[in-house]
Every structure is written in structure tokens, then in C-alpha cells.
Amino acid sequence: MTVSPDPHPLDQRLDALARQPFRARFHLRGPERVTAEEKGVATIRWHAYDLVAKRLAPAEPYKDGKQTPYRGHPVFVAQHATATCCRNCLLRWHGIPKGRQLTRDEHLYVVEVICRWIERELTRGAGEPSGGA
């Protein structure tokens, strides 16, 4: 799986996820929004890369399905909004198989999904709904 330079397909996937009631309730608010704004996209991207490497990339992540907090960092909020929070969600929503370590391309793809969602959230007002028809 490779990361497409064209954000359009990724935006379509994010729009589809935003139509799911559980995923639609996640937005960057409060401290997570402040962190994203203050740290900037480049730093948040590095945090996403590191968090995915530690919590999602292993073949059998520790406490898989419960390893991603709902709050505390913009990446955590984004992971729930984008179905990149556990290996079950990665399989169901992104077609990335369980039971093996993420490939480099898959790891980069997950980071791109997370960061694209954060970028979209930051371009909206704090209370505006996120995309999708």
C-alpha cells in the first residue's frame, strides 16, 4: 500500500468514516486542539509516526483494541475518528491485515490518514462538523 500524493482518495475515505456515527463524534477540541495548533503539523506527524510504531505497528500490539486512549493527544482523537486505533479497525476500514507487523508503506499510510484528519480539523472551526455528505 503506498501513500498517494493526491489527497482526494484519502479525503473520500475520511468523509466516509465521518458518516459513521461513532467516528463522527470525534473532533479536535480543548487541550488536544491547542496541542495540535501549538506544536504544528510537522511535530504532530512525528508524534503520529512514533505512536503508531509503538502501539499499532507490531504484529500483536499490547492490549490491542484497548491501546488507544480517547483523549490526551490529538493523534489519539484522530485514531478513533479515522479507524486507525487498533488492528481490528485497520482491517475493517483500511484492509490492513492483522497478525503481522505493518509494512513501512502501511505505517506511512496510517500516519498520513491521521495527519490528514488533523489538518482538516484545524482548518475548520472548533465546533463545525467534519466533512461528508
Side-chain angles (χ1 to χ4, degrees):
M1 176 171 292
T2 58
V3 177
S4 171
D6 175 15
H8 186 66
L10 190 52
D11 285 335
Q12 288 178 330
R13 172 150 303 162
L14 292 175
D15 290 344
L17 284 162
R19 289 190 291 273
Q20 300 300 314
F22 175 74
R23 309 278 170 211
R25 68 184 196 169
F26 292 98
H27 296 284
L28 280 184
R29 296 185 179 108
E32 291 84 10
R33 186 177 188 89
V34 170
T35 297
E37 291 171 343
E38 288 180 353
K39 297 289 184 187
V41 175
T43 298
I44 296 297
R45 182 174 296 277
W46 174 249
H47 291 179
Y49 189 87
D50 189 48
L51 289 167
V52 168
K54 292 175 181 171
R55 295 173 175 255
L56 198 62
E60 295 182 19
Y62 179 69
K63 291 188 175 181
D64 193 25
K66 296 177 179 71
Q67 78 269 38
T68 305
Y70 285 92
R71 290 184 294 270
H73 196 286
V75 170
F76 296 151
V77 178
Q79 284 185 271
H80 289 291
T82 62
T84 58
C85 47
C86 67
R87 294 304 291 262
N88 283 330
C89 290
L90 276 181
L91 175 62
R92 180 175 180 196
W93 293 100
H94 301 278
I96 297 175
K98 296 169 59 171
R100 62 162 176 76
Q101 186 168 335
L102 295 182
T103 66
R104 178 165 165 60
D105 283 349
E106 289 166 344
H107 189 147
L108 293 173
Y109 166 79
V110 170
V111 170
E112 189 61 29
V113 169
I114 291 166
C115 290
R116 181 67 184 140
W117 183 87
I118 291 171
E119 289 169 1
R120 287 167 45 133
E121 283 289 301
L122 291 175
T123 62
R124 294 184 173 86
E128 289 181 43
S130 62

